[in-house]
Amino acid sequence: MKKVFIGFLVLAIILAVLVGYFWFKNKNGKDLNAELAVPESVQIGVPFDLMVNISNDSSSVINEAEVSVILPESIVFIGDPVARSIKNKKVGSLKTGTLTQVSFPVLVLDGENSVHSVEAEISYIPGSIKSRFVKKIQKDFVVTDAGLFLDLITPTQVLSGETFETKISYENRSEILFDNVVVKVALPENVTVNSSSKTHTINSDGHLEFVLNQINQSDKGEITLSTTLIGQDNSLVEFLATANARFTGLNYQVSGKSAIITVAPSPLSIFIDLNDNLQAVSINQNLTYNLRYANNTNIDLRDVIIEAKLDGEMFDLTSLNTNGVLRSNDNTVLWNASIVPGLRNLAPGASGVLSFNIKTAPGYPITRLSSKDFLLKVLAKIESPTVPRTVAANKTIGVSQLTTKVRGATTVDTQAFFRDASSGILNSGSLPPKVGKPTQYTIHWLVKNYSTDVDDIQVKAFLGPNVRFTGVLKSNLEIEPEYNERTQEIVWNIGKISATRGVLTAPIEAIFQVELIPSISQISQAPILIQETSLTGVDLFTTQPINGKDQSINTTIPDDLTVTGSDGRVTE
């Protein structure tokens, strides 16, 4: 009866709350009303007030009202960091019939000619009810163009080494004054600025900065750069210009424009190939680079110079074999007419091939955890002071770059011990092993991974005849080896290993105990405890397969220095 009474009591309380709520709604007729007010259209980079209008249309006081505005990524609260997307303001109590406005100054940074949406939430406590209510509202509006218009004008295509104009034009198309305006121009490393129509500085990112200060309504202007681009044939180069203005002490990017330039095929071309277009190379590997050049013009090109710059820690410069001259201060190989007479005057349509041989380093220069993903880069350049009449340059230049990945390496070292106290595993039996008597050994697998991240690493091996796994094992990974008793195969599915694991840190290790019971046919022999160990996986940097192995181990167990040669041969 007591449980039934409690149940009725709980139900009565719930019904009372529901009745009270609907009574409040019916008694007051109307509750809190709210709407978002924004201009029908706004410009990018022009501040405006986002207004939240709140009215208390009930017959009771509304308490502890708060307004939260939620902005999409393209809109920011003026005076706050760009990352802030939610802002709260307290309203407090609202008497019956009260209308109040809450203002949020905001700025649109992106999304030209599109519809944007903002949301607001008003939380409050109506009348004498203690529960907090939340009202959600939303408003769409149109974003037109940028208030501070910015344009970036470049040729769509230029020759490598050609000088051309880059123009950045700006115009205030809004009804406000833009203050503390700074135009930034980001240029690739292979672009040189020869001159500029306005004074500029270089910031910490290597970008050009033009301080324009105030730009009044309808003001316009232009910045002209003389630029030279050196790049590979058919490569794409991006120029980027942005305008920043200050509002309430913070700078915001209010406009931006980018341009893509294609490097046209050079009149003097050069291309690089490596060992039949190898995609990846290994340590201590012989490499042959070929530089193929050609005069694609209808005029003679005189005093041609060809150079190949070698960039990468994995080049073994001591192994370089070439008829060119190595310039040691920047590891560049050079050829000119003193070495190749045909370069004195390269006739129209003439071509040739220059080669050099070099080896990769015998090991990886790993000194820190970030010593990974090594690359070999060769930047080839050919140039002549002769310039075709149609080209606006002071020399004719062709460039080419070849980047090759260096494979990593993952190794497994198999070791065996009879006396192995440091492992914490006690082996029993006699040395030398005796026919029909069990002798136990511990097998160690030590895995090292060098210069690349790898995955799907699997280590496996078969045990020798008359050898079994005792079930005792240890590993410094959560994943342990597994044994198939029917096939005598032990398999360790390690999975992913980070670069330098086992080189700068302790190797990945598994230790497992095996037991040999020699047969009479093995007298005077050193039976195999574990056959050849294999390792397979995938190099995540080069996407190529990994293969490794270590030799089989017999009962002479060379890694255990306490065991002599005779201790490893079976006796009766």
Side-chain angles (χ1 to χ4, degrees):
M1 289 295 293
K2 186 176 181 180
K3 290 183 178 179
V4 173
F5 173 75
I6 293 173
F8 276 116
L9 181 61
V10 171
L11 182 61
I13 292 171
I14 294 172
L15 289 173
V17 171
L18 291 173
V19 169
Y21 170 75
F22 287 111
W23 173 83
F24 175 83
K25 294 288 288 183
N26 292 330
K27 177 177 181 297
N28 293 292
K30 294 182 179 179
D31 198 355
L32 177 143
N33 283 326
E35 67 172 0
L36 273 167
V38 298
E40 289 186 4
S41 64
V42 299
Q43 289 180 296
I44 294 173
V46 177
F48 68 96
D49 286 330
L50 192 157
M51 307 294 296
V52 181
N53 299 321
I54 307 171
S55 62
N56 182 1
D57 296 330
S58 71
S59 58
S60 299
V61 175
I62 288 177
N63 299 308
E64 299 182 26
E66 292 184 7
V67 178
S68 299
V69 168
I70 302 97
L71 299 180
E73 289 185 3
S74 56
I75 307 177
V76 297
F77 296 104
I78 295 177
D80 290 330
V82 174
R84 185 173 186 178
S85 60
I86 300 176
K87 194 167 187 176
N88 305 316
K89 286 189 178 182
K90 292 185 178 181
V91 178
S93 298
L94 293 174
K95 295 181 180 180
T96 300
T98 300
L99 172 65
T100 189
Q101 285 188 326
V102 184
S103 176
F104 294 84
V106 296
L107 188 70
V108 178
L109 301 180
D110 196 12
E112 186 174 353
N113 297 320
S114 63
V115 176
H116 286 52
S117 180
V118 292
E119 299 176 3
E121 293 182 355
I122 301 93
S123 67
Y124 60 97
I125 298 176
S128 58
I129 294 178
K130 300 302 181 184
S131 299
R132 181 168 285 275
F133 286 64
V134 176
K135 189 177 188 70
K136 296 183 179 182
I137 53 177
Q138 179 259 339
K139 182 74 172 180
D140 294 336
F141 61 95
V142 175
V143 175
T144 58
D145 58 350
L148 181 57
F149 174 77
L150 196 68
D151 200 10
L152 179 60
I153 304 169
T154 66
T156 57
Q157 183 171 271
V158 298
L159 290 167
S160 180
E162 184 177 4
T163 299
F164 59 95
E165 274 193 349
T166 298
K167 290 185 178 181
I168 304 101
S169 61
Y170 55 89
E171 180 183 357
N172 185 350
R173 296 180 175 179
S174 74
E175 297 179 355
I176 69 167
L177 176 147
F178 284 95
D179 198 15
N180 293 289
V181 176
V182 176
V183 172
K184 299 181 181 181
V185 182
L187 301 176
E189 292 182 356
N190 56 343
V191 174
T192 302
V193 177
N194 307 310
S195 62
S196 171
S197 63
K198 290 185 181 292
T199 303
H200 67 273
T201 58
I202 307 294
N203 65 17
S204 58
D205 295 323
H207 300 162
L208 281 63
E209 287 193 355
F210 299 85
V211 179
L212 304 181
N213 292 321
Q214 293 184 344
I215 302 180
N216 293 300
Q217 183 180 353
S218 300
D219 280 358
K220 61 177 65 176
E222 188 175 80
I223 301 167
T224 303
L225 305 176
S226 171
T227 45
T228 302
L229 165 63
I230 296 177
Q232 297 187 71
D233 290 358
N234 301 312
S235 61
L236 301 178
V237 179
E238 183 179 25
F239 287 40
L240 176 64
T242 58
N244 293 265
R246 180 171 294 180
F247 299 101
T248 62
L250 289 180
N251 294 319
Y252 298 93
Q253 181 180 312
V254 296
S255 189
K257 191 68 180 288
S258 64
I260 301 292
I261 298 177
T262 302
V263 180
S266 173
L268 186 56
S269 63
I270 189 165
F271 298 97
I272 313 170
D273 63 64
L274 166 64
N275 289 33
D276 298 323
N277 298 316
L278 283 176
Q279 299 303 307
V281 298
S282 303
I283 57 174
N284 205 34
Q285 182 174 349
N286 290 308
L287 308 177
T288 299
Y289 285 93
N290 297 307
L291 282 61
R292 306 179 187 278
Y293 60 93
N295 177 0
N296 302 314
T297 72
N298 57 4
I299 62 172
D300 292 337
L301 298 177
R302 60 182 177 82
D303 298 336
V304 173
I305 295 176
I306 297 174
E307 60 182 52
K309 183 177 181 180
L310 311 183
D311 181 15
E313 298 174 89
M314 293 296 294
F315 277 122
D316 180 5
L317 293 173
T318 63
S319 67
L320 178 65
N321 182 17
T322 177
N323 65 339
V325 176
L326 177 65
R327 189 169 61 202
S328 298
N329 65 332
D330 62 354
N331 298 332
T332 298
V333 183
L334 298 105
W335 294 266
N336 58 21
S338 69
I339 302 170
V340 183
L343 297 180
R344 183 180 301 280
N345 195 65
L346 195 62
S351 62
V353 180
L354 298 173
S355 300
F356 64 90
N357 298 298
I358 193 169
K359 292 180 69 174
T360 52
Y364 301 97
I366 295 174
T367 57
R368 58 182 69 89
L369 294 177
S370 59
S371 298
K372 58 181 291 190
D373 298 344
F374 293 104
L375 295 170
L376 301 178
K377 297 180 182 179
V378 176
L379 175 62
K381 183 168 73 170
I382 184 170
E383 64 176 55
S384 167
T386 308
V387 180
R389 291 183 179 180
T390 57
V391 178
N394 57 13
K395 62 178 70 174
T396 302
I397 298 175
V399 298
S400 180
Q401 179 173 301
L402 180 64
T403 300
T404 308
K405 295 180 178 181
V406 180
R407 295 185 188 91
T410 308
T411 63
V412 58
D413 180 19
T414 307
Q415 300 176 0
F417 298 88
F418 176 72
R419 297 178 180 89
D420 196 9
S422 62
S423 71
I425 299 175
L426 180 63
N427 294 315
S428 62
S430 62
L431 285 184
K434 295 182 179 180
V435 173
K437 303 292 184 181
T439 300
Q440 295 173 342
Y441 303 84
T442 44
I443 307 295
H444 293 239
W445 274 340
L446 296 102
V447 177
K448 293 182 179 181
N449 185 41
Y450 287 81
S451 66
T452 61
D453 295 334
V454 296
D455 203 356
D456 298 330
I457 296 298
Q458 183 186 74
V459 179
K460 61 183 180 180
F462 291 98
L463 300 183
N466 298 321
V467 179
R468 72 176 186 90
F469 172 52
T470 67
V472 177
L473 62 81
K474 291 184 174 182
S475 172
N476 57 6
L477 294 182
E478 292 184 2
I479 300 171
E480 296 179 336
E482 296 179 352
Y483 180 64
N484 186 330
E485 187 175 1
R486 295 178 63 87
T487 63
Q488 286 187 280
E489 186 178 36
I490 189 158
V491 178
W492 192 15
N493 291 306
I494 297 174
K496 188 172 184 178
I497 308 177
S498 299
T500 75
R501 177 71 185 271
V503 181
L504 298 178
T505 59
I508 295 172
E509 185 174 15
I511 307 171
F512 51 94
Q513 187 184 63
V514 298
E515 184 177 84
L516 167 68
I517 302 179
S519 67
I520 193 169
S521 63
Q522 293 175 310
I523 292 175
S524 299
Q525 296 181 12
I528 291 176
L529 295 174
I530 186 168
Q531 299 183 45
E532 182 181 84
T533 299
S534 66
L535 179 147
T536 58
V538 177
D539 185 323
L540 295 179
F541 180 52
T542 65
T543 69
Q544 295 189 347
I546 294 171
N547 292 285
K549 61 182 179 180
D550 198 16
Q551 62 187 6
S552 62
I553 296 180
N554 61 29
T555 51
T556 60
I557 48 176
D559 293 299
D560 191 336
L561 301 181
T562 69
V563 177
T564 63
S566 60
D567 288 338
R569 300 201 173 272
V570 176
T571 61
E572 293 187 32

